[in-house]
Amino acid sequence: MRRTKEEALETRNTILRVALESFSKRGYALTTFNDIAQKIHLTKGAIFWHFKTKEDLLAALLAWLQESFDPFKPLETATTLAEVRAAFLAWADVLATNRQHRQFMIFVMSRVEWSEALKAKLRQKLDALMVNDPYDRLVACMERLKDLGEIASPLSGVQIAALLSSCFFGLHREAWLHKSHANLGQLNLRPTLEAGLDFILNGIRRTSND
């Protein structure tokens, strides 16, 4: 019997959920299609029917998660640094409450070796899926705010985006991946993130004296 579109979509989403679980626990390199197939009682061929390569699967996973929550969508029209701050804090709230997004972030930060070859393949596949890199949109937003006069810093949009990303990802990495560290018992992530973002944004914001 031929599968209905609904059944095929359900199977595809199940593969994506199990792949995310496996990637976050075993890592990208060690996870195989056979591992995923065994967990959901499918043949490896059934996985290949949906995803021809592991890079296809990874790109689809990125698109799937971005469809459920796109962290930098508000930055496409942002005209103030307050909107940038709000976007980062909203992302932090999603990571704190949504297990799948948290799993994916942990996977991205510590369970995959980002070789130039993998990044190039992934970029091509994401372009084909019309999925924009969130970091590219952050850079574009910083450049736009510089043009609008909201930012007074001589730093480039790329440099400012790197500072904001380092603050956001660095604090989450410390909170999630180094919990055994004695000092992390004192780290309250949300207020620490707010303070870090404010430190950076206040340093680049145009003042009334400019």
Side-chain angles (χ1 to χ4, degrees):
M1 180 182 296
R2 291 178 61 85
R3 292 181 297 174
T4 65
K5 290 184 178 180
E6 291 78 11
E7 289 172 331
L9 180 60
E10 182 179 352
T11 299
R12 183 179 188 276
N13 289 339
T14 299
I15 293 170
L16 290 170
R17 285 194 296 270
V18 172
L20 177 58
E21 186 83 25
S22 298
F23 287 160
S24 64
K25 288 183 178 179
R26 298 197 64 200
Y28 181 76
L30 293 179
T31 299
T32 67
F33 276 14
N34 193 50
D35 296 328
I36 296 169
Q38 288 181 349
K39 287 181 180 293
I40 50 182
H41 308 294
L42 292 174
T43 65
K44 186 166 63 174
I47 308 294
F48 278 116
W49 190 85
H50 289 274
F51 307 103
K52 301 303 181 186
T53 68
K54 198 155 61 168
E55 290 86 0
D56 287 333
L57 175 56
L58 179 55
L61 186 58
L62 279 161
W64 182 58
L65 289 170
Q66 185 168 304
E67 184 178 353
S68 66
F69 176 72
D70 184 353
F72 288 158
K73 181 67 174 177
L75 299 190
E76 294 178 0
T77 56
T79 57
T80 67
L81 288 175
E83 292 172 275
V84 175
R85 182 184 191 273
F88 273 106
L89 293 178
W91 193 4
D93 289 341
V94 168
L95 293 176
T97 57
N98 187 292
R99 182 171 179 267
Q100 287 182 336
H101 282 277
R102 190 163 59 250
Q103 278 183 320
F104 183 73
M105 187 66 71
I106 292 172
F107 156 63
V108 166
M109 290 192 296
S110 65
R111 302 288 190 268
V112 59
E113 295 182 1
W114 290 106
S115 67
E116 290 303 317
L118 176 57
K119 287 189 286 187
K121 289 180 181 178
L122 190 59
R123 170 76 67 167
Q124 291 178 345
K125 295 180 185 302
L126 290 175
D127 286 346
L129 292 171
M130 300 183 69
V131 176
N132 296 318
D133 186 336
Y135 188 77
D136 289 343
R137 283 183 289 165
L138 177 59
V139 172
C141 179
M142 294 301 100
E143 295 289 0
R144 185 173 66 254
L145 294 187
K146 283 174 67 70
D147 291 341
L148 291 173
E150 176 75 359
I151 294 174
S153 172
L155 295 176
S156 69
V158 171
Q159 289 172 309
I160 297 170
L163 286 172
L164 291 169
S165 297
S166 296
C167 173
F168 185 84
F169 292 114
L171 285 173
H172 279 88
R173 183 180 181 87
E174 288 299 308
W176 294 344
L177 303 180
H178 301 289
K179 292 181 180 179
S180 61
H181 194 288
N183 292 332
L184 287 182
Q186 304 170 20
L187 176 59
N188 191 332
L189 183 56
R190 174 64 184 242
T192 305
L193 177 60
E194 289 179 335
L197 291 173
D198 288 342
F199 183 81
I200 296 169
L201 296 177
N202 288 337
I204 64 173
R205 181 178 279 113
R206 182 190 64 186
T207 66
S208 57
N209 295 325
D210 291 339

